[in-house]
Amino acid sequence: MTGFSKGMHKVEVALKWDPSPTGTAPTDLDIIAATFDARDPYGAPAYLVHFDSRSPDGTIFLNRDSTDGRGFGWDEVMTLEVDRLSERYGRVVVGVVIQQQPVRRTFSGVLNPAMRVREGYTVLSEDDFTAVHDATAATIAEFVRNESGEWIFHPGVHGFQEDPESFTRVMGRAQ
């Protein structure tokens, strides 16, 4: 990276899946972002952003939320304006969790799941959750602030066997 780099600014994380077949329980996937204090980047999250919340400073928010995958194109979309995050924060982890009501599901039971991380028109990562087909949740992106204050993206899909509540407590652990 040269001294002319401006780092990452505004990132979009998108998730899509096909609706459940008629007569079966709907499939509901949710994007969750966990923001960590720079002094404790692997501790408890400073705050979470999900379908029912946004970041205190408005830098991370859910643009689109689906409870059944019936959207057009990308069903859930989250925007992270990492360049506006306070210097207090040094790490953001983004994950996907499958709601486990009324039936237990893993990614293998979700029809055509896919995720995409992009900045502007540049796609940084895409995946179909095949590598974590037996998981009920997965982390899909990590953003870390380097010594010069720029945000660096670390791709990778890592599966978990957690329900939505417990996933938020473990999604930030070191991989």
Side-chain angles (χ1 to χ4, degrees), residues 14 16 24 26 31 39 42-44 49-50 56-57 64 82 100 115 128 139 143 152 162:
K16 68 179 176 178
T24 63
I31 299 173
R39 294 175 306 210
Y42 294 94
V49 178
H50 49 79
D57 58 5
R64 188 176 308 147
V82 292
Q100 298 299 313
M115 58 73 72
D128 64 3
T139 55
F143 302 91
I152 307 298
E162 306 292 336

Side-chain angles (χ1 to χ4, degrees), residues 98 105-111 113 129 132-135:
I98 305 168
R105 276 205 177 92
T106 63
F107 285 105
S108 65
V110 176
L111 298 176
F129 298 97
V132 295
H133 62 90
D134 287 334

Side-chain angles (χ1 to χ4, degrees), residues 9-76:
H9 298 283
K10 189 174 187 179
V11 179
E12 176 189 271
V13 178
L15 180 64
K16 68 179 176 178
W17 66 98
D18 289 344
S20 298
T22 303
T24 63
T27 304
D28 185 4
L29 279 65
D30 288 311
I31 299 173
I32 300 172
T35 303
F36 297 88
D37 193 287
R39 294 175 306 210
D40 191 12
Y42 294 94
Y47 63 84
L48 299 169
V49 178
H50 49 79
F51 64 89
D52 200 22
S53 70
R54 64 183 296 149
S55 64
D57 58 5
T59 57
I60 303 174
F61 52 92
L62 197 61
N63 305 59
R64 188 176 308 147
D65 178 38
S66 174
T67 58
D68 58 13
R70 294 184 194 274
F72 294 105
W74 297 97
D75 298 305
E76 296 224 353

Side-chain angles (χ1 to χ4, degrees), residues 75-146:
D75 298 305
E76 296 224 353
V77 179
M78 181 177 278
T79 299
L80 298 90
E81 295 180 17
V82 292
D83 64 326
R84 290 186 46 231
L85 274 170
S86 166
E87 290 181 10
R88 171 183 173 204
Y89 305 112
R91 183 170 173 253
V92 178
V93 176
V94 180
V96 174
V97 65
I98 305 168
Q99 293 293 333
Q100 298 299 313
Q101 300 295 328
V103 296
R104 185 178 189 285
R105 276 205 177 92
T106 63
F107 285 105
S108 65
V110 176
L111 298 176
N112 300 313
M115 58 73 72
R116 177 187 70 199
V117 179
R118 70 180 185 169
E119 183 178 30
Y121 294 107
T122 304
V123 174
L124 304 172
S125 177
E126 289 183 306
D127 198 275
D128 64 3
F129 298 97
T130 302
V132 295
H133 62 90
D134 287 334
T136 58
T139 55
I140 60 173
E142 177 185 44
F143 302 91
V144 179
R145 191 186 305 261
N146 68 15

